[in-house]
Amino acid sequence: MSRLVLCFFFSSSVPVVPRHLQPQTAPIHTYPSTHRDGAVFIPIYRPVDPEMTRVFSTCVASSTSGAVVPSLPLLTMQEMTKIRFTAGTAFLTGWADIFFYYHFKTFATMLTGNTLWASLAVAEKRIIDALYYISVIASYMIGIGVFQCVNIRYRRQSMRICAAIIPVLFALGDVAISVATPNRRLWIPVLIFSNAFGIINSVATEFSGTLTNVTTGHLTKLTTLIVKYFRQGTVGQNKSSTFSVYQNISVVMGFCGGATFAGSMLKRGLLTGIGTFTTIGVCYSGLFLWKA
């Protein structure tokens, strides 16, 4: 029996080495060489990073055209956490945008539209409307200033502090909606929410490294990277570009998912009364505490 076992092991094409004696290496595949009807991969070994920060996946070669299309490398745990945080923030912002438009026919999460309407109001000499849009912009900027002051003074605790501030501001916005008179129903709540989103968007930019309240830039970058990936095969060779692909996808998918979720709730008549924005604020707070 022992002879049969020895013959089996020595006749195998793959040597059997005890696990604790195996070299700590990982294959990195280069461009494949042509062999028969397809391509074969030539493994080149390197020492594995002790922190296992990245492990590149293999290249995929076309047996007909000979073109090499590299697959995307895996992400680190830190990068995956950042991607999840980015997607969660974009999801909540898409949700909030739908509800803002439903209640106020305006947006408090971004300034482009408010800046355009303010400029138009000034050109048409509609002083009250111009003051309204300018005040919304100013409130948003004050929120950014609040976050920067907190972040400079309490760097390690800034996320937790903002997580405590956001639900309070959203609750105040709900109260302002409930007590405001019809002709004053719009101004004060939008100022409060705009201030809150100045903080929220600053937190998202600081800790995710990108804007999560808009999709234009992300769609532009994503389209550019996709074209380069299929035409040049350069994304897999560039670590920052690879992470950018995942991040841009997370923002677009998260934002669209949040907007779709909000639309389905509105269709069913859910969360349309007082407390709607407080719920969103609590969700933001939970996300910030998770990231902290």
Side-chain angles (χ1 to χ4, degrees):
M1 176 64 69
S2 61
R3 291 183 179 180
L4 291 175
V5 173
L6 290 174
C7 290
F8 174 79
F9 281 134
F10 283 109
S11 64
S12 175
S13 60
V14 180
V16 177
V17 182
R19 183 179 296 274
H20 67 279
L21 295 179
Q22 292 179 3
Q24 298 298 314
T25 56
I28 297 180
H29 297 283
T30 58
Y31 294 103
S33 59
T34 304
H35 180 67
R36 297 180 189 175
D37 58 339
V40 295
F41 295 107
I42 304 175
I44 299 178
Y45 290 88
R46 69 168 185 183
V48 176
D49 188 343
E51 299 180 358
M52 292 299 293
T53 54
R54 286 183 187 272
V55 178
F56 282 87
S57 54
T58 60
C59 295
V60 180
S62 171
S63 60
T64 55
S65 64
V68 177
V69 182
S71 58
L72 296 177
L74 301 177
L75 297 177
T76 66
M77 290 301 295
Q78 182 179 5
E79 288 172 335
M80 285 303 300
T81 301
K82 186 178 291 187
I83 291 295
R84 294 188 185 101
F85 176 74
T86 302
T89 308
F91 179 90
L92 292 176
T93 303
W95 177 6
D97 273 338
I98 294 298
F99 275 81
F100 278 128
Y101 187 79
Y102 174 79
H103 285 278
F104 308 117
K105 297 298 184 290
T106 187
F107 299 104
T109 63
M110 58 192 76
L111 297 184
T112 303
N114 292 322
T115 303
L116 290 174
W117 288 120
S119 302
L120 182 61
V122 170
E124 295 177 351
K125 297 181 180 180
R126 292 183 283 110
I127 305 302
I128 300 299
D129 291 340
L131 290 176
Y132 163 72
Y133 289 113
I134 291 173
S135 65
V136 171
I137 295 170
S139 180
Y140 185 94
M141 296 173 67
I142 291 172
I144 296 174
V146 169
F147 168 77
Q148 293 300 329
C149 292
V150 171
N151 195 39
I152 293 172
R153 180 66 178 85
Y154 306 99
R155 175 65 181 179
R156 296 180 180 272
Q157 300 296 325
S158 60
M159 182 77 82
R160 296 182 182 275
I161 295 173
C162 292
I165 294 174
I166 295 304
V168 175
L169 290 176
F170 275 73
L172 289 175
D174 270 332
V175 172
I177 293 174
S178 64
V179 301
T181 57
N183 59 338
R184 301 283 184 176
R185 188 177 179 84
L186 182 66
W187 200 321
I188 300 302
V190 172
L191 287 180
I192 296 173
F193 292 132
S194 181
N195 183 266
F197 272 99
I199 300 174
I200 290 170
N201 292 338
S202 297
V203 171
T205 303
E206 179 72 20
F207 294 98
S208 70
T210 189
L211 294 173
T212 59
N213 61 318
V214 290
T215 59
T216 305
H218 296 288
L219 288 171
T220 302
K221 294 178 182 178
L222 186 60
T223 304
T224 301
L225 291 170
I226 290 173
V227 171
K228 287 184 177 181
Y229 177 75
F230 285 104
R231 298 298 298 175
Q232 299 178 357
T234 58
V235 176
Q237 301 173 5
N238 190 323
K239 298 179 182 179
S240 61
S241 296
T242 300
F243 175 73
S244 180
V245 169
Y246 289 112
Q247 191 174 54
N248 291 323
I249 291 174
S250 68
V251 172
V252 175
M253 296 294 291
F255 193 90
C256 294
T260 303
F261 174 73
S264 64
M265 286 198 300
L266 289 176
K267 185 177 180 180
R268 292 171 173 81
L270 302 175
L271 287 178
T272 57
I274 302 302
T276 298
F277 294 103
T278 303
T279 303
I280 299 175
V282 171
C283 291
Y284 271 116
S285 179
L287 182 63
F288 291 174
L289 290 175
W290 171 79
K291 181 63 173 65

